Amino acid sequence: TKDGIKNIEDIKIGDVAWSGSAWRRVSDWIDDGNKNGIKITLESGQTSTHSPIHRLWVLRDGVEQWIEMQNLNPETDLICNNLNIDNSSFIKNESDYDIGYFLGLMAGDGTSTLIEKNGQVGICTVDENIKNFLYYFNDRYFGGTLRKADSKGTRTPSYFFSRKQSINKLREWGVGPEMAHEKRIPKKVWTSKSAMIGFLNGFFDTDGTFNSKNQVEFPVTSEHLLRDLQILLNSFGVDARFSSNKKRYGKQNHKIHRVYVNSNEFETLTKIGFKASAKKAKSIIAPKIPDAHNTIPVNQLGFLLDFVKTAKYDNHKTRGRKIKNHKISACRFALYKGISYANISKYRDWLLETLEFKAFVDQEAAFTILNRLNSILKNKWKKFSTEKIDSCHFFDLTVEVDHSYWSN
């Protein structure tokens, strides 16, 4: 919503929600009770549960169409991970951003296990930027003296907040007595997009990194925290992936989980207000095409293969050698399971150039192929798996003009 993320059961008629194409007012809301459902899991790790008759935007045999959940085929279909959102001016409230940033620091290098027993929380840091922020934040929002403690080990907090007013605010914001592997994104973060961006930056400045693949990565022991982070990033149109491995973290013996964002998403990250601190920032070259590691199965692009192999052109206009190379490539990629977005983009560029020469014998057919490729490239298509669920509590809401949401 315009106020941040809300559960579907908390939406009211009259609220304004993003429909996937525009901000729309909610015109109807229904509690549908308990029904059988279908759980869908995308290859990037996101999960959702819907009614069997809920429709999803699907790529089937290269044709985009609405298909009901009960008729999905994971072997032949791809689901659109609709990340088309309004990316304009997310950071509008400075205080919400500050609070979100502070809660991001807490999620990364903070400890709150003693918040109920001793009435204190702490943050461990040696970064000068973070130190300066903590003093600024304490003066502006908490008051009193920020207590600094000498570190006796890498996991000992260096700065303590113990003033009663401070602790009460932290409880109100959703900070509880959580161990590192139990952490979640505090409820205050979800109430404002400014707070959500602040949290993202604070969490990155403590537990985030740029890995060897030039990806933004968040490796931590709390799966729930990273699942929350994935939802947060997806809500801003950023494609984030979740992974987990068998590696254990130190003496705590907890699994390491990761959320990572590929470099092709850096442009979107920058637009929404993502900033890296000086110690972690480095030069990044963001690709102009979707992630080259993602592929689309060949069966979805039969229309492209058929066209490239059979298209007729004026070789004098198109420099026949270039066309010949593309024909060879078309035959080669048919031997593999999938075609990368990068190669699909190359074929689109080739079509554009050839159309400009007006060299195709059937220009209309070439434009049809071009439009289909543009449509495929603008979306992020995902492989998926499904699982039947015996009983779920469903809610249904309708937004003006576009469509309805149906979820548990």
Side-chain angles (χ1 to χ4, degrees):
T1 70
K2 282 202 167 184
D3 297 323
I5 292 179
K6 289 185 179 180
N7 293 329
I8 191 170
E9 61 265 32
D10 297 327
I11 298 292
K12 298 177 181 178
I13 294 176
D15 286 352
V16 177
W18 181 253
S19 72
S21 60
W23 291 106
R24 305 292 193 194
R25 194 168 299 281
V26 176
S27 57
D28 198 9
W29 180 95
I30 301 172
D31 184 342
D32 281 306
N34 290 321
K35 297 182 178 183
N36 292 336
I38 297 177
K39 180 181 178 181
I40 188 165
T41 302
L42 301 185
E43 60 180 334
S44 51
Q46 296 103 313
T47 63
S48 62
T49 303
H50 305 275
S51 161
I53 63 172
H54 181 77
R55 297 185 305 160
L56 295 177
W57 192 239
V58 172
L59 187 67
R60 175 176 288 181
D61 297 328
V63 179
E64 298 175 61
Q65 52 193 295
W66 290 106
I67 295 180
E68 292 182 354
M69 291 280 291
Q70 59 191 354
N71 297 325
L72 290 176
N73 185 347
E75 298 298 321
T76 59
D77 300 338
L78 297 177
I79 288 178
C80 177
N81 191 20
N82 190 351
L83 302 179
N84 174 30
I85 59 136
D86 178 15
N87 270 334
S88 59
S89 304
F90 281 119
I91 303 175
K92 296 181 178 180
N93 188 306
E94 182 182 354
S95 63
D96 281 353
Y97 177 87
D98 287 345
I99 293 170
Y101 185 81
F102 177 82
L103 294 175
L105 298 180
M106 283 292 303
D109 285 344
T111 177
S112 61
T113 54
L114 299 177
I115 189 172
E116 298 299 340
K117 184 177 180 180
N118 293 347
Q120 67 178 15
V121 301
I123 293 179
C124 179
T125 185
V126 295
D127 186 282
E128 289 298 326
N129 292 331
I130 295 177
K131 288 180 184 179
N132 292 335
F133 174 81
L134 291 179
Y135 280 107
Y136 152 79
F137 188 84
N138 184 66
D139 290 341
R140 180 170 180 180
Y141 298 97
F142 291 157
T145 302
L146 179 63
R147 183 165 63 89
K148 180 180 178 181
D150 294 330
S151 295
K152 297 180 181 179
T154 56
R155 297 190 60 80
T156 303
S158 297
Y159 298 88
F160 286 101
F161 301 85
S162 56
R163 193 164 179 250
K164 186 175 181 179
Q165 178 184 352
S166 309
I167 298 303
N168 287 339
K169 281 189 177 180
L170 289 170
R171 291 191 183 111
E172 182 184 330
W173 293 340
V175 176
E178 301 166 322
M179 301 291 288
H181 64 281
E182 300 171 329
K183 289 182 177 180
R184 301 289 300 260
I185 292 183
K187 62 182 181 181
K188 172 64 177 177
V189 173
W190 300 112
T191 63
S192 162
K193 291 180 180 178
S194 298
M196 290 164 68
I197 295 300
F199 179 89
L200 174 64
N201 289 333
F203 190 38
F204 178 83
D205 283 349
T206 48
D207 268 357
T209 185
F210 289 111
N211 63 23
S212 59
K213 297 180 180 180
N214 204 27
Q215 299 167 322
V216 172
E217 182 179 325
F218 299 87
V220 299
T221 57
S222 174
E223 179 178 354
H224 289 304
L225 176 59
L226 290 186
R227 293 292 189 183
D228 289 346
L229 180 66
Q230 189 178 35
I231 293 173
L232 186 152
L233 288 165
N234 287 166
S235 71
F236 287 112
V238 178
D239 188 18
R241 291 168 174 257
F242 176 88
S243 68
S244 182
N245 57 33
K246 296 181 180 180
K247 183 178 179 180
R248 300 281 175 167
Y249 181 69
K251 296 180 180 179
Q252 291 186 358
N253 201 31
H254 294 297
K255 285 184 179 180
I256 296 292
H257 309 281
R258 289 177 171 80
V259 158
Y260 58 93
V261 178
N262 287 310
S263 58
N264 60 284
E265 298 289 336
F266 290 167
E267 183 178 354
T268 303
L269 277 174
T270 302
K271 285 181 179 179
I272 67 175
F274 173 74
K275 295 179 289 187
S277 66
K279 68 175 183 178
K280 295 183 178 181
K282 67 177 183 177
S283 59
I284 300 169
I285 301 176
K288 295 181 180 180
I289 56 176
D291 181 15
H293 295 290
N294 290 342
T295 61
I296 292 184
V298 172
N299 69 293
Q300 301 286 0
L301 294 165
F303 67 91
L304 174 62
L305 279 170
D306 293 341
F307 178 79
V308 173
K309 290 177 180 178
T310 61
K312 296 181 180 180
Y313 5 67
D314 184 331
N315 284 339
H316 175 71
K317 291 183 178 180
T318 59
R319 307 170 201 156
R321 184 178 178 183
K322 188 170 185 178
I323 296 296
K324 181 180 179 180
N325 287 340
H326 274 82
K327 278 194 171 185
I328 292 173
S329 297
C331 295
R332 284 177 180 168
F333 74 54
L335 300 176
Y336 295 92
K337 292 183 179 180
I339 308 169
S340 71
Y341 278 98
N343 281 333
I344 296 172
S345 182
K346 289 178 182 178
Y347 276 91
R348 178 187 60 183
D349 294 343
W350 161 71
L351 274 168
L352 279 170
E353 182 179 355
T354 311
L355 281 165
E356 288 177 0
F357 280 117
K358 297 182 179 180
F360 286 113
V361 173
D362 191 344
Q363 287 280 107
E364 184 176 348
F367 270 114
T368 299
I369 299 297
L370 177 64
N371 289 335
R372 291 181 70 177
L373 289 183
N374 281 334
S375 182
I376 288 174
L377 284 169
K378 78 176 182 180
N379 292 314
K380 297 176 182 177
W381 301 98
K382 301 292 184 183
K383 297 177 182 177
F384 65 95
S385 60
T386 59
E387 174 188 356
K388 292 184 178 180
I389 304 296
D390 289 337
S391 181
C392 293
H393 195 163
F394 285 100
F395 299 88
D396 187 13
L397 69 83
T398 303
V399 294
E400 297 171 343
V401 181
D402 291 311
H403 56 81
S404 64
Y405 300 84
W406 195 338
S407 188
N408 67 313

